[in-house]
């Protein structure tokens, strides 16, 4: 019996060895055994297991090795929690045969790639560029570098114009980052469509070809929508730089403004729009609270490093407790904000918010 297990182990090793490095990694990452082990460890309460899915733990471990700033780590944790929830829900759908065309699976892969790109965990940036500080980035334009040259040029124009005070620069930085996230999502979707077009050329079965054509048609439509959205977002930034912030505007947070514009373009009644506006006000308050904890977390991190150099054990213990509390609170709020955003987008895109949802 033992010899049989040895032969199986050797066979598995040969199979993995025959794969390319990328595929071998994928085989390890997506193996059922690894995911089951991660889930079992999570249920046992193992301290070093954050997620029930192996690949998410690998991303989390890599981020910690690369020493992302505390705020970035908290943000990444929230994104991975959302990804985990969506992937676990998808597994249930797949078991019930409700994703035959693979559309939901493709969306999950794209969302995962967006996370890797957003936090520079896709291997295209070195570790030095990862250690960014949220508050410093918000206030120091010289350290803000955007991938898009047009965006970087517009940012430099905004921060040298003298038109915006410190609070407005902070809000403006959020808008620019929000736009860059959209651009990255657009490029990832475009790469997805391009890869599927290449695969489509090699499809033999007529039924497979028809399914792939339907898939590509939906992806091209989504790609056009995202491209229009990116263009509209950039035009908003240009207008904002030229005119400044409108003091009479209903909202100031870019994600809330986007949702409010979506609501106004839909066929809602006046009463429905009033209900949506109240919901969005609550959402904006939640976002501002999240930003507040991000700033407090960063300040706590700086203070903790200072206390560590002094060597005062009593102060160090208190600061570690506060830092741990702020870390967990920032993660919690980050998850709630992103989940709320996800829910609002889904509900608004369906045409309304029912009264029991408000």
């Amino acid at each position: 019996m033992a010899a049989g297990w040895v032969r199986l182990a050797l066979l598995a090793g040969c199979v993995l060895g025959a794969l390319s490095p990328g595929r071998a990694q994928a085989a390890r990452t997506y193996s059922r055994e690894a995911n089951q082990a991660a889930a079992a460890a999570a249920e046992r309460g193992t301290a070093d297991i954050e997620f029930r899915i192996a690949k998410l733990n690998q991303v989390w471990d890599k981020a910690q090795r690369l020493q992302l700033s505390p705020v970035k780590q908290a943000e990444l944790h929230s994104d991975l929690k959302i990804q985990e929830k969506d992937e676990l829900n998808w597994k249930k759908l797949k078991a019930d045969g409700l994703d035959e065309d693979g559309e939901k699976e493709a969306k999950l892969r794209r969302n995962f790639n967006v996370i890797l790109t957003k936090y520079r965990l896709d291997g295209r940036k070195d570790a030095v560029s990862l250690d960014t500080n949220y508050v410093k980035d918000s206030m120091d334009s010289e350290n803000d570098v955007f991938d898009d040259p047009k965006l970087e040029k517009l940012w430099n124009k905004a921060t040298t114009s003298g038109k915006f005070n410190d609070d407005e620069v902070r809000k403006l930085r959020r808008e620019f980052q929000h736009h860059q996230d959209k651009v990255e999502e657009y490029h990832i979707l475009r790469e997805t469509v391009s890869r599927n077009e290449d695969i489509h050329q090699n499809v033999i079965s007529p039924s497979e070809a028809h399914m792939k054509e339907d898939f590509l048609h939906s992806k091209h439509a989504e790609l056009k929508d995202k491209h229009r959205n990116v263009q509209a977002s950039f035009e908003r930034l240009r207008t904002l730089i030229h005119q400044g912030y409108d003091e009479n505007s209903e909202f100031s947070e870019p994600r809330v403004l986007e949702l409010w514009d979506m609501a106004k373009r839909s066929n809602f009644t006046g009463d429905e729009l009033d209900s949506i506006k109240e919901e969005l006000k609550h959402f904006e308050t939640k976002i501002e609270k999240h930003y507040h904890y991000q700033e407090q977390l960063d300040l706590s991190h700086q203070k903790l490093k200072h206390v560590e150099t002094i060597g005062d054990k009593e102060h160090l213990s208190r600061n570690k407790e506060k830092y741990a509390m702020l870390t967990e609170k920032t993660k919690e709020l980050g998850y709630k904000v992103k989940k709320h955003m996800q829910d609002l987008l889904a509900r608004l895109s369906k045409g309304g918010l029912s009264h029991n949802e408000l």
Side-chain angles (χ1 to χ4, degrees):
M1 185 69 177
W5 281 112
V6 170
R7 284 196 297 272
L8 283 173
L10 289 172
L11 178 60
C14 291
V15 171
L16 281 175
L19 293 172
S20 66
R23 291 193 178 188
Q25 178 63 31
R28 290 191 295 270
T29 301
Y30 293 95
S31 68
R32 180 178 300 174
E33 291 79 5
N35 284 333
Q36 288 174 341
E43 288 172 1
R44 291 194 305 268
T46 305
D48 58 349
I49 298 296
E50 288 285 336
F51 305 97
R52 295 172 60 189
I53 298 175
K55 67 176 180 180
L56 303 186
N57 278 313
Q58 290 177 342
V59 171
W60 180 243
D61 290 343
K62 181 177 180 179
Q64 291 179 309
R65 288 197 308 273
L66 293 175
Q67 296 183 332
L68 285 173
S69 71
V71 170
K72 286 291 184 183
Q73 282 197 37
E75 283 291 284
L76 172 62
H77 193 275
S78 299
D79 282 335
L80 292 177
K81 276 294 180 185
I82 294 285
Q83 182 75 14
E84 178 182 55
K85 182 176 182 297
D86 291 343
E87 294 216 13
L88 293 174
N89 286 338
W90 169 77
K91 285 183 179 181
K92 293 177 183 177
L93 291 175
K94 186 181 180 183
D96 294 334
L98 298 177
D99 190 27
E100 292 183 358
D101 59 359
E103 172 68 16
K104 291 181 176 63
E105 183 180 10
K107 184 177 180 182
L108 281 173
R109 283 199 303 270
R110 189 166 67 250
N111 289 345
F112 183 61
N113 287 333
V114 168
I115 292 172
L116 296 180
T117 303
K118 180 179 178 181
Y119 296 97
R120 305 296 189 262
L121 297 170
D122 54 0
R124 287 188 284 181
K125 296 281 184 179
D126 58 31
V128 175
S129 65
L130 287 165
D131 191 14
T132 56
N133 176 292
Y134 178 84
V135 179
K136 179 180 67 178
D137 282 352
S138 297
M139 303 305 297
D140 188 353
S141 63
E142 291 180 359
N143 291 326
D144 280 320
V145 178
F146 294 98
D147 293 335
D148 185 347
K150 290 196 303 181
L151 198 61
E152 176 68 11
K153 184 178 179 180
L154 195 62
W155 174 250
N156 289 333
K157 181 179 179 181
T159 52
T160 58
S161 67
K163 188 179 295 185
F164 303 96
N165 59 38
D166 286 351
D167 286 338
E168 289 173 333
V169 168
R170 189 188 302 271
K171 288 194 294 185
L172 192 62
R173 178 65 176 83
R174 297 175 192 171
E175 299 235 24
F176 271 72
Q177 186 58 55
H178 186 55
H179 175 80
Q180 180 161 287
D181 291 344
K182 286 183 180 182
V183 173
E184 288 173 350
E185 289 178 20
Y186 168 75
H187 285 306
I188 288 170
L189 178 58
R190 191 170 65 178
E191 288 175 11
T192 301
V193 172
S194 178
R195 284 197 303 271
N196 278 277
E197 285 175 335
D198 292 339
I199 295 171
H200 180 58
Q201 303 298 323
N202 301 320
V203 171
I204 299 174
S205 166
S207 61
E208 288 180 338
H210 180 70
M211 185 180 296
K212 185 61 69 174
E213 283 176 6
D214 289 344
F215 174 80
L216 287 173
H217 180 74
S218 68
K219 291 298 102 180
H220 278 294
E222 185 181 350
L223 194 61
K224 286 181 181 178
D225 285 342
K226 281 195 177 292
H227 186 251
R228 282 194 295 266
N229 192 255
V230 166
Q231 288 182 314
S233 176
F234 188 75
E235 284 304 313
R236 168 177 162 70
L237 288 177
R238 288 178 60 180
T239 302
L240 192 57
I241 300 306
H242 179 68
Q243 298 180 355
Y245 279 99
D246 181 7
E247 294 181 0
N248 298 319
S249 176
E250 296 286 351
F251 306 102
S252 62
E253 218 294 318
R255 284 170 287 183
V256 180
L257 283 165
E258 186 177 330
L259 291 168
W260 181 234
D261 287 342
M262 182 189 298
K264 289 189 293 185
R265 289 195 301 268
S266 302
N267 296 320
F268 291 111
T269 66
D271 288 342
E272 287 172 332
L273 281 175
D274 287 341
S275 295
I276 293 169
K277 187 186 294 184
E278 286 302 310
E279 168 83 354
L280 293 179
K281 284 179 180 177
H282 291 304
F283 181 44
E284 188 167 58
T285 300
K286 187 183 293 183
I287 291 173
E288 290 298 330
K289 186 177 181 181
H290 181 218
Y291 282 134
H292 169 74
Y293 272 94
Q294 285 182 318
E295 293 175 7
Q296 292 302 308
L297 175 61
D298 184 77
L299 292 172
S300 176
H301 179 61
Q302 294 177 19
K303 188 174 182 181
L304 181 60
K305 288 194 295 184
H306 175 68
V307 173
E308 284 175 339
T309 60
I310 298 174
D312 186 329
K313 291 184 179 180
E314 184 180 345
H315 281 81
L316 183 60
S317 177
R318 285 203 302 267
N319 277 276
K320 280 185 175 179
E321 288 178 7
K322 183 177 181 181
Y323 178 70
M325 180 274 291
L326 288 169
T327 298
E328 290 307 309
K329 190 65 176 178
T330 305
K331 287 179 183 178
E332 177 190 347
L333 280 170
Y335 175 81
K336 287 181 177 179
V337 164
K338 291 177 185 196
K339 186 65 175 67
H340 199 167
M341 177 74 181
Q342 193 180 59
D343 292 343
L344 284 168
L345 275 170
R347 287 148 59 186
L348 283 174
S349 64
K350 291 177 182 176
L353 299 170
S354 64
H355 290 291
N356 61 0
E357 290 177 315
L358 293 175

